[in-house]
């Protein structure tokens, strides 16, 4: 029996822009997914993403016979809501396969295979999600080219204040569809979109300097700026924009995190408030939950 686990993720700044080679600032969360392997004679169903991911990982680590294994997934990461549930599954499967293949535990190899699995989810991932989920902590990530993805692990120089998550609803669109939507806009009006992506890069760098204690920028202002730019990109539904508007009236700073969604919900929202208790009644009145999120959890690991 082998058990592995990997965290979910938050993008502090840079989603969508990372697909175009801009940097992104990522953090892992304390919410994790466990995958437990057992022996079985079950046939893999490659139309299911979990089985596809497992099979692809086994093949990548040179394991030919995949029919002896089965697995149980147990996850606290909301599915399809921007917290990296699919990347966490890919990373877990990759770590399991590396262990089954009796190879030494190697994060870079786990990450590489997870990236290949992620391509099934959307054709052109930046690779940022699998990287933060593999390595954990805080990561500054940039895809320079398909074969040159660079990242640095960041040690925050000052503690971020408490951040919260509110789920605005599972988006109707997949990450792949949201990435394609931005691509269409990029092709239609490149100048406009390039301008927004450059501003997102500015925002990501200010965020980086903030956590490295190199500027005095206000965290709430950066979150709000990032959110406005994502709205301009068209990845936030009108329903979610309304909800964010109401939260902003209560003096919260809020952004989507991840691919977003344009028809209905836009996934989880990252929320900052100087006095978060003052939001509790409002959030309840909207029949929503606001949960604290601890950032910087450990990356993928083999559980004892
Ligand atoms: C999804 O979590 C983040 C996106 O930037 C897509 C990607 O980086 O592959 C929207």
């Amino acid at each position: 029996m082998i058990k592995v686990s990997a965290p979910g993720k938050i993008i502090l700044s840079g989603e969508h822009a990372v697909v175009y080679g801009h940097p992104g600032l990522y953090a892992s969360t304390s919410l994790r997914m466990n995958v437990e392997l057992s022996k079985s004679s079950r046939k893999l169903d490659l139309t299911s993403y979990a089985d596809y991911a497992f099979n692809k990982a086994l093949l990548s680590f040179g394991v030919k016979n995949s029919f002896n294994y089965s697995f149980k997934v147990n996850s606290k990461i909301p599915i399809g809501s921007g917290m990296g549930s699919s990347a966490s599954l890919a990373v877990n499967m990759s770590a399991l396969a590396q262990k089954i293949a009796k190879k030494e535990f190697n994060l870079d190899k786990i990450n590489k295979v997870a990236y290949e699995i992620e391509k099934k989810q959307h054709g052109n991932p930046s690779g940022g999600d699998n990287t933060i989920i593999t390595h954990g902590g805080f990561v500054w990530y940039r895809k320079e080219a398909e074969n040159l993805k660079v990242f640095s692990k960041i040690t925050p120089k000052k503690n971020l204040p408490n951040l919260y998550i509110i789920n605005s609803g599972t988006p109707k669109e997949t990450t792949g569809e949201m990435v394609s939507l931005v691509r269409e806009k990029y092709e239609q009006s490149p100048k406009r979109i390039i301008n927004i992506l450059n501003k997102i890069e500015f925002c990501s760098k200010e965020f980086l300097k903030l956590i490295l204690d190199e500027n005095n920028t206000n965290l709430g202002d950066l979150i709000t700026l990032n959110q406005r730019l994502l709205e301009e990109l068209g990845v936030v539904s009108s329903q979610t924009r309304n909800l964010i508007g109401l939260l902003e009236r209560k003096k919260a700073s809020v952004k989507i995190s991840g691919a977003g969604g344009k028809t209905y919900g836009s996934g989880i929202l990252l929320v900052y408030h100087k006095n978060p208790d003052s939001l509790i009644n409002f959030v309840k009145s909207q029949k929503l939950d606001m949960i604290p999120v601890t950032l910087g959890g450990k990356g993928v690991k083999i559980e004892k």
Side-chain angles (χ1 to χ4, degrees):
M1 187 98 86
I2 308 170
K3 196 169 164 187
V4 294
S5 79
K9 67 93 192 7
I10 284 287
I11 303 181
L12 291 166
S13 179
E15 50 272 89
H16 287 290
V18 276
V19 175
Y20 298 83
H22 293 274
L25 182 57
Y26 293 74
S28 60
T29 70
S30 47
L31 302 179
R32 297 184 77 82
M33 175 187 290
N34 293 306
V35 182
E36 203 176 319
L37 185 89
S38 51
K39 294 256 174 204
S40 149
S41 53
R42 173 185 82 98
K43 259 198 158 173
L44 292 180
D45 166 14
L46 297 183
T47 60
S48 112
Y49 180 60
D51 279 6
Y52 165 83
F54 184 55
N55 191 54
K56 173 112 185 149
L58 287 172
L59 293 176
S60 304
F61 283 104
V63 181
K64 299 256 156 34
N65 184 357
S66 52
F67 298 118
N68 297 329
Y69 306 106
S70 181
F71 47 83
K72 223 169 47 206
V73 179
N74 204 324
S75 181
K76 294 261 186 301
I77 307 168
I79 293 172
S81 298
M83 285 193 73
S85 57
S86 79
S88 189
L89 186 67
V91 169
N92 269 319
M93 291 308 187
S94 180
L96 266 184
Q98 194 179 56
K99 183 87 180 160
I100 293 169
K102 297 195 167 41
K103 304 262 198 273
E104 206 179 311
F105 186 70
N106 180 311
L107 289 176
D108 288 331
K109 287 187 181 151
I110 291 174
N111 194 23
K112 230 178 179 169
V113 169
Y115 174 74
E116 292 304 318
I117 296 170
E118 274 278 274
K119 282 188 180 166
K120 162 101 176 159
Q121 281 302 78
H122 66 102
N124 182 25
S126 66
D129 288 10
N130 46 278
T131 300
I132 183 63
I133 287 165
T134 301
H135 291 273
F138 291 79
V139 159
W140 179 254
Y141 177 85
R142 191 166 195 140
K143 179 180 180 178
E144 301 291 354
E146 183 60 24
N147 289 309
L148 182 65
K149 306 182 197 81
V150 291
F151 74 94
S152 287
K153 283 202 85 171
I154 309 290
T155 308
K157 290 271 163 50
K158 66 177 176 204
N159 286 338
L160 282 176
N162 288 341
L163 294 170
Y164 292 79
I165 283 170
I166 292 178
N167 199 336
S168 72
T170 308
K172 192 167 162 283
E173 300 80 11
T174 62
T175 296
E177 283 163 352
M178 292 310 292
V179 168
S180 302
L181 184 113
V182 175
R183 174 71 60 191
E184 278 162 32
K185 289 182 186 232
Y186 185 97
E187 275 157 17
Q188 275 160 18
S189 11
K191 270 199 186 137
R192 192 175 80 80
I193 300 300
I194 286 171
N195 191 26
I196 301 172
L197 299 177
N198 285 335
K199 287 183 185 163
I200 292 179
E201 172 159 343
F202 166 80
C203 189
S204 302
K205 283 188 177 152
E206 287 303 303
F207 227 124
L208 175 68
K209 290 178 200 159
L210 176 81
I211 69 170
L212 291 177
D213 205 9
E214 291 178 14
N215 67 14
N216 286 319
T217 316
N218 180 285
L219 171 71
D221 291 347
L222 282 181
I223 291 178
T224 304
L225 170 63
N226 199 169
Q227 171 61 21
R228 292 288 101 78
L229 294 167
L230 289 163
E231 288 172 7
E232 272 187 60
L233 262 192
V235 295
V236 188
S237 70
S238 63
Q239 176 185 293
T240 305
R241 283 197 310 259
N242 288 342
L243 172 63
I244 291 177
L246 294 174
L247 286 161
E248 286 176 348
R249 254 178 259 164
K250 304 257 168 224
K251 305 232 175 319
S253 309
V254 188
K255 76 176 279 279
I256 63 154
S257 171
K262 82 170 179 102
T263 308
Y264 179 66
S266 304
I268 58 114
L269 306 176
L270 187 64
V271 181
Y272 164 67
H273 198 293
K274 274 194 186 139
N275 175 16
D277 286 352
S278 67
L279 286 178
I280 290 174
N281 285 340
F282 168 73
V283 170
K284 264 196 195 144
S285 75
Q286 298 290 311
K287 300 196 168 39
L288 293 167
D289 286 328
M290 183 169 96
I291 55 165
V293 61
T294 308
L295 301 182
K298 217 178 159 357
V300 65
K301 60 177 183 189
I302 310 286
E303 298 284 346
K304 295 279 169 280

